[in-house]
């Protein structure tokens, strides 16, 4: 293919979700994903993403489009977008971070992991298990031992501990 | 790795390549990704949350306890202002810790239980580094000194071996990390052939040679001014000795026999050297009227001085933008005051303001303010008497793991 010049039409890619739905996106925007970038370098224009469902893919495309138009003047605008973007349920955030990780979109991984951290830091141990779907594999004695080791961390300021799993 | 596949998505070759890609991508998505993501999230949490979350499951407990995670967490914390905290010691020898902010100064002040129980008195913070503090305390009734290594975030502490020479009030301490030996070292400067170093992995203090030409005292940094003005009851409670500035793999201090440079002591090869002082800083060792010292702000070496003239105190601060390069000294600001007679810079906020520890006339102990003109002093009330404060970074670094003896 001839090398692209500014006047040429932008190169488009097709992203296909695990549910076989297809979405057209500009290559220049899609390569914010390291995974997609690698495939483009191998001359693919139809990118199958069997690990990303349609709903999640739509959100990710929205993120990439917004961040694709980043300039020096719209930093505040993008910050606002990011703030709103992470106002989602833990279930949605989990799907998003798995997809972002799979797609190697570093800025999105950072944004999502930070959102998780901000929201879980004051949660109770039980709430954490629920949010991440982690079974408690301690015996009561074992758990009591670990609790004792850092008792002050549990007891001091415990009125601020949040027990909800949302 | 360019595949010569025709761009027609319908071709069989293309479909086959598509299948290969899918297989490849499927391999990537393993359980490891979950672990990687969890580790990323956890490395952004405050230490207190992490200690609680050890109870979540055996896997989380193991993850949070491993040295690799400690390093990952610390690498994230050290560049993040929300992980910088203040350690405060008051006249009743109580410890408190707080968050830092350039407008409110200290927020969420919390009491910190003393690291050791027993009949102990005369607590003193010698120095802080990487979230670890070196604390000296006296033991009733023997009147022995005990030296402690204390992680302020996990509250874990160990007793360190005592130095060969007694912990006199006139010595100055520094803690730093030596990447060559992957070990922390404590340097204690006392002059008079009493300089010693403790590598934490070893269990004994080693006497060091003195600096060839210096007098080996960081006394110029001592707050004789504070003592003179009655702020200190006696030299014994001099928490304002300052500490050795550790940056770029070396400890730094001002020596009264060197006029145009400061001493540096490299932590890995334990060799003395000199770093030129800024043009415009004339060292004055008339301790009744002047003070100068070395500190670290924003990862840069800095030097400061206070001079008194006609009842007005002038504080100046220089920052060395390029380590070792004399021309890169930059005078940041000057503060003129009629009542703040001894100022030590403690921390640089992300907005460029500097947290200062000051001694104030007619007031005992230390007060804090920022370099912003409109900043008030803290504590506001006279009833609070703070001896000193040190900034530290939250970390999981374990004193017990550092000292396996």
């Amino acid at each position: 293919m001839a090398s692209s010049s500014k006047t040429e039409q932008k190169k488009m890619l097709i992203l296909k979700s695990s549910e076989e739905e297809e979405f057209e996106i500009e290559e220049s925007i899609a390569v914010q994903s390291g995974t997609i970038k690698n495939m483009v370098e191998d001359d693919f224009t139809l990118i199958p993403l069997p690990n990303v469902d349609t709903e999640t893919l739509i959100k990710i495309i929205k993120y990439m489009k917004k961040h694709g138009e980043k300039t020096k003047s719209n930093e505040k605008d993008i910050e606002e977008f990011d703030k709103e973007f992470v106002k989602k349920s833990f279930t949605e955030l989990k799907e998003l971070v798995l997809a972002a990780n799979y797609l190697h979109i570093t800025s999105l991984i950072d944004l999502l992991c930070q959102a998780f951290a901000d929201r879980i830091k004051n949660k109770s141990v039980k709430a954490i298990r629920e949010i991440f779907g982690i079974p408690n594999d301690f015996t009561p004695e074992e758990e009591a031992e670990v609790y004792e080791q850092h008792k002050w961390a549990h007891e001091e300021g415990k009125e601020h501990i949040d027990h909800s799993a949302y | 790795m360019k595949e010569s596949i025709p761009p027609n998505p319908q071709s069989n070759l293309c479909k086959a390549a598509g299948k290969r890609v899918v297989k490849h991508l499927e391999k990537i998505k393993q359980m490891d990704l979950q672990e990687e993501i969890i580790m990323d999230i956890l490395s952004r949490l405050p230490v207190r949350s992490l200690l609680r979350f050890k109870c979540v499951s055996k896997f989380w407990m193991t993850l949070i306890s491993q040295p690799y995670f400690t390093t990952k967490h610390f690498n994230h914390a050290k560049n993040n202002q929300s992980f910088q905290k203040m350690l405060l010691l008051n006249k009743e020898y109580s410890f408190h810790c707080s968050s830092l902010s350039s407008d409110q100064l200290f927020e969420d002040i919390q009491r910190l239980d003393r690291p050791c129980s027993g009949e102990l008195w005369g607590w003193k913070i010698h120095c802080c580094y990487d979230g670890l503090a070196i604390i000296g305390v006296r033991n009733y009734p023997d009147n022995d000194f005990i030296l402690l290594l204390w992680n302020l975030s996990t509250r874990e502490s160990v007793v360190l071996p005592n130095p060969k020479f007694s912990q006199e009030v006139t010595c100055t301490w520094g803690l730093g990390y030596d990447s060559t030996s992957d070990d922390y070292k404590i340097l204690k400067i006392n002059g008079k052939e009493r300089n010693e170093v403790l590598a934490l992995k070893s269990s004994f203090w080693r006497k060091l040679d003195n600096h060839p030409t210096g007098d080996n005292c960081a006394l110029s940094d001592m707050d004789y001014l504070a003592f003179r003005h009655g702020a200190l009851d006696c030299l014994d409670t001099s928490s304002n000795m300052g500490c050795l500035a550790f940056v770029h793999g070396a400890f730094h201090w001002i020596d009264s026999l060197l006029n145009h440079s400061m001493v540096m002591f490299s932590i890995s090869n334990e060799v003395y050297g000199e770093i030129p002082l800024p043009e415009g800083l004339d060292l004055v060792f008339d301790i009744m009227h002047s003070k100068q010292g070395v500190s670290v702000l924003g990862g840069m070496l800095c030097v400061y001085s206070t001079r008194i003239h006609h009842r007005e105190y002038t504080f100046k601060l220089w920052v060395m933008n390029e380590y070792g390069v004399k021309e890169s000294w930059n005078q940041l600001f000057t503060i003129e005051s009629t009542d703040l007679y001894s100022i030590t810079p403690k921390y640089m906020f992300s907005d460029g303001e500097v947290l200062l520890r000051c001694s104030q006339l007619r007031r005992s102990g230390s007060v804090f303010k920022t370099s912003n003109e409109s900043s008030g002093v803290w504590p506001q009330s006279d009833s609070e008497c703070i001896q000193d404060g040190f900034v530290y970074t939250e970390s999981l670094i374990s004193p017990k793991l550092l000292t396996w003896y």
Side-chain angles (χ1 to χ4, degrees):
Chain A
M1 296 221 76
S3 51
S4 53
S5 64
K6 282 189 182 146
T7 52
E8 201 171 287
Q9 204 178 14
K10 290 208 177 126
K11 184 166 177 214
M12 302 301 285
L13 297 176
I14 297 175
L15 303 184
K16 192 155 93 162
S17 74
S18 59
E19 290 142 318
E20 311 268 311
E21 278 194 57
E22 295 183 0
F23 299 88
E24 222 187 13
I25 185 175
E26 283 173 34
E27 180 187 303
S28 57
I29 302 228
V31 294
Q32 286 175 78
S33 150
T35 307
I36 295 178
K37 185 163 186 244
N38 284 340
M39 295 182 71
V40 163
E41 281 165 5
D42 287 348
D43 284 338
F44 288 99
T45 47
L46 169 63
I47 317 273
L49 301 172
N51 290 332
V52 187
D53 64 36
T54 302
E55 212 184 298
T56 308
L57 186 54
I58 291 173
K59 292 172 191 156
I60 297 211
I61 290 174
K62 191 172 168 198
Y63 176 89
M64 288 200 288
K65 280 190 173 160
K66 188 73 185 184
H67 279 251
E69 33 177 87
K70 195 158 139 153
T71 63
K72 281 190 183 132
S73 51
N74 65 358
E75 255 179 51
K76 260 265 153 114
D77 187 34
I78 295 206
E79 254 178 57
E80 274 308 308
F81 171 87
D82 283 352
K83 246 194 212 169
E84 286 304 309
F85 189 81
V86 296
K87 284 186 184 165
K88 296 180 162 59
S89 71
F90 277 120
T91 315
E92 287 175 87
L93 288 182
K94 269 191 273 179
E95 292 289 332
L96 274 167
V97 78
L98 277 172
N101 195 25
Y102 166 74
L103 290 169
H104 279 99
I105 308 172
T106 320
S107 67
L108 182 55
I109 298 171
D110 272 341
L111 176 67
L112 291 166
C113 286
Q114 188 60 51
F116 263 106
D118 292 338
R119 275 164 68 165
I120 66 171
K121 69 181 175 199
N122 288 324
K123 295 265 180 214
S124 69
V125 168
K126 280 210 172 104
I128 297 289
R129 289 189 191 126
E130 244 189 273
I131 292 165
F132 289 93
I134 300 171
N136 181 6
D137 55 353
F138 284 120
T139 66
E141 294 77 32
E142 285 169 339
E143 192 178 339
E145 209 185 306
V146 183
Y147 183 95
E148 273 304 306
Q149 270 172 29
H150 306 288
K151 197 167 173 182
W152 67 269
H154 294 272
E155 311 266 303
E156 276 179 32
K158 71 171 155 187
E159 58 274 13
H160 299 299
I161 301 241
D162 174 9
H163 296 272
S164 87
Y166 298 103
Chain B
M1 227 185 78
K2 282 221 175 284
E3 306 210 17
S4 48
I5 299 172
N8 176 4
Q10 302 308 319
S11 81
N12 284 331
L13 264 175
C14 204
K15 280 193 185 142
K19 282 208 183 101
R20 277 202 298 280
V21 165
V22 167
K23 257 213 166 104
H24 171 62
L25 292 174
E26 264 172 350
K27 269 195 198 144
I28 296 174
K29 204 221 164 167
Q30 292 159 17
M31 278 315 286
D32 287 57
L33 285 184
Q34 278 276 38
E35 285 180 26
E36 200 186 307
I37 295 171
I38 294 207
M39 215 190 249
D40 189 330
I41 296 172
L42 293 182
S43 68
R44 297 163 192 264
L45 290 174
V47 170
R48 203 176 130 218
S49 307
L50 290 171
L51 297 178
R52 286 192 303 112
F53 296 168
K54 275 189 183 181
C55 285
V56 167
S57 73
K58 286 183 180 171
F59 173 61
W60 277 44
M61 183 180 78
T62 313
L63 188 68
I64 294 168
S65 311
Q66 18 160 333
Y68 172 76
F69 180 74
T70 297
T71 308
K72 189 174 162 75
H73 179 267
F74 186 65
N75 285 338
H76 174 260
K78 65 186 176 194
N79 297 318
N80 208 308
Q81 192 169 291
S82 53
F83 285 81
Q84 310 309 318
K85 299 263 184 298
M86 191 73 180
L87 172 70
L88 297 161
L89 179 62
N90 69 16
K91 223 149 188 212
E92 284 84 48
Y93 300 129
S94 293
F95 290 99
H96 288 78
C97 62
S98 80
S99 304
L100 290 169
S101 103
S102 61
D103 352 277
Q104 308 289 2
L105 271 194
F106 305 129
E107 293 178 322
D108 306 320
I109 301 178
Q110 282 170 3
R111 175 98 185 231
L112 205 57
D113 283 334
R114 290 180 190 157
C116 252
S117 53
E119 303 266 16
L120 302 167
W121 62 284
W123 295 83
K124 182 176 177 318
I125 306 168
H126 290 314
C127 52
C128 268
Y129 189 72
D130 280 3
L132 303 167
I134 306 290
I135 308 280
V137 68
R138 273 201 261 230
N139 185 18
Y140 261 141
D142 313 319
N143 212 24
D144 288 340
F145 273 105
I146 299 179
L147 195 61
L148 296 167
L149 177 66
W150 188 24
N151 179 316
L152 303 162
S153 322
T154 62
R155 306 201 183 172
E156 184 188 287
S157 66
V158 290
V159 176
L160 292 174
N162 273 338
K164 286 181 161 55
F165 305 105
S166 70
Q167 299 175 42
E168 280 133 37
V169 147
T170 53
C171 44
T172 316
W173 304 70
L175 171 66
Y177 175 74
D178 173 21
S179 49
T180 311
S181 60
D182 183 29
D183 193 11
Y184 285 86
K185 288 185 183 176
I186 306 174
L187 179 63
K188 176 174 157 278
I189 296 295
N190 195 20
K192 306 173 214 146
E193 306 275 325
R194 284 171 173 179
N195 293 350
E196 328 175 47
V197 72
L198 171 70
L200 292 187
K201 281 181 182 168
S202 74
S203 55
F204 51 89
W205 286 83
R206 276 179 294 119
K207 182 172 165 303
L208 292 171
D209 294 332
N210 279 357
H211 183 271
T213 48
D215 79 355
N216 288 281
C217 262
L219 269 185
S220 56
D221 203 20
M222 184 173 164
D223 222 341
Y224 268 126
L225 287 176
F227 173 58
R228 276 293 285 188
H229 288 278
L232 301 173
D233 296 324
C234 61
L235 279 180
D236 204 30
T237 58
S238 61
S239 315
N240 298 313
M241 287 298 297
C243 57
L244 306 175
F246 182 75
V247 72
H248 285 281
F251 295 98
H252 304 78
W253 67 94
I254 289 190
D255 185 302
S256 57
L257 291 185
L258 298 170
N259 286 323
H260 302 291
S261 50
M262 67 171 85
V263 181
M264 72 95 115
F265 181 80
S266 126
I267 199 175
S268 43
N269 54 23
E270 299 186 2
V271 163
Y272 289 100
E274 285 171 32
I275 298 277
L277 287 169
E279 206 72 52
L281 169 63
D282 298 313
L283 295 183
V284 175
F285 291 99
D286 164 16
I287 48 185
M288 301 304 154
H289 296 107
S290 70
K291 179 187 153 99
Q292 49 257 323
V294 186
S295 183
V296 181
L297 291 176
M300 295 182 289
L301 192 60
C302 75
V303 88
Y304 56 91
S305 73
T306 301
R307 300 281 180 263
I308 177 173
H309 185 63
H310 291 329
R311 293 197 191 168
E312 202 168 75
Y313 301 94
T314 304
F315 169 82
K316 288 185 182 174
L317 175 68
W318 289 264
V319 155
M320 193 175 225
N321 287 318
E322 234 183 288
Y323 182 68
V325 177
K326 182 172 176 168
E327 295 70 37
S328 74
W329 280 113
N330 175 35
Q331 189 175 334
L332 270 194
F333 55 78
T334 301
I335 295 180
E336 285 173 3
S337 166
T338 50
D339 68 337
L340 297 176
Y341 59 86
S342 172
I343 300 182
T344 313
K346 287 284 184 177
Y347 176 72
M348 186 182 279
F349 291 100
S350 49
D351 61 4
E353 296 292 348
V354 177
L355 174 67
L356 305 163
R357 183 214 69 81
C358 319
S359 301
Q360 194 174 32
L361 286 181
R362 295 173 292 280
R363 189 148 171 193
S364 61
S366 305
V367 295
F368 295 87
K369 74 186 291 291
T370 72
S371 49
N372 190 327
E373 270 165 35
S374 56
S375 160
V377 299
W378 183 95
Q380 287 174 331
S381 134
D382 246 9
S383 58
E384 299 239 34
C385 184
I386 306 287
Q387 283 198 46
D388 203 355
F390 281 82
V391 176
Y392 67 94
T393 304
E394 280 212 31
S395 91
L396 289 161
I397 299 170
S398 161
K400 289 191 177 128
L401 287 181
L402 293 176
T403 53
W404 265 114
Y405 32 86

